[in-house]
Amino acid sequence: MNVANTQIQMRKGLLEFCVLYIISRGEVYTSDLIDELTASEMIVVEGTLYPLLNRLKSAELVQYRWVESESGPPRKYYSITQEGKEFLHTLAETWQSLVHSTTQITSKK
């Protein structure tokens, strides 16, 4: 088994949760999402983010609006929908449960 592959899969499994959480803090531009996710080592390749954002938009969990830019083409800013907030709340509960369960298991000697 390759440890790096397992680590990547673990990050991918949490990426949707992290993206929704970041967007839930306020409207965000895609490059700001990429910067935060990269700094947190949640994504290695930014090409991973665009398909995820499209899936979240199709599922009506996020929405976007175009904002004109003085320094180039219009920018797409994402925000979370009410349905997205409810979905995120459920994911947060699941995350807390997983953290609790994992801590129980890994704290035993």
Side-chain angles (χ1 to χ4, degrees), residues 6-52:
T6 301
Q7 290 170 324
I8 289 168
Q9 290 306 314
M10 291 171 80
R11 280 189 196 94
K12 281 184 181 179
L14 292 170
L15 186 59
E16 185 173 310
F17 175 55
C18 291
V19 167
L20 280 172
Y21 190 85
I22 292 168
I23 295 172
S24 77
R25 297 188 313 227
E27 197 172 56
V28 64
Y29 179 53
T30 310
S31 68
D32 295 329
L33 267 170
I34 291 168
D35 290 346
E36 186 167 350
L37 292 167
T38 302
S40 303
E41 299 181 8
M42 282 303 295
I43 62 170
V44 179
V45 180
E46 68 181 60
T48 308
L49 182 60
Y50 294 103
L52 173 58

Side-chain angles (χ1 to χ4, degrees), residues 65 72 74 78 81-82:
R65 68 182 182 99
Y78 286 88
T81 63
Q82 183 59 41

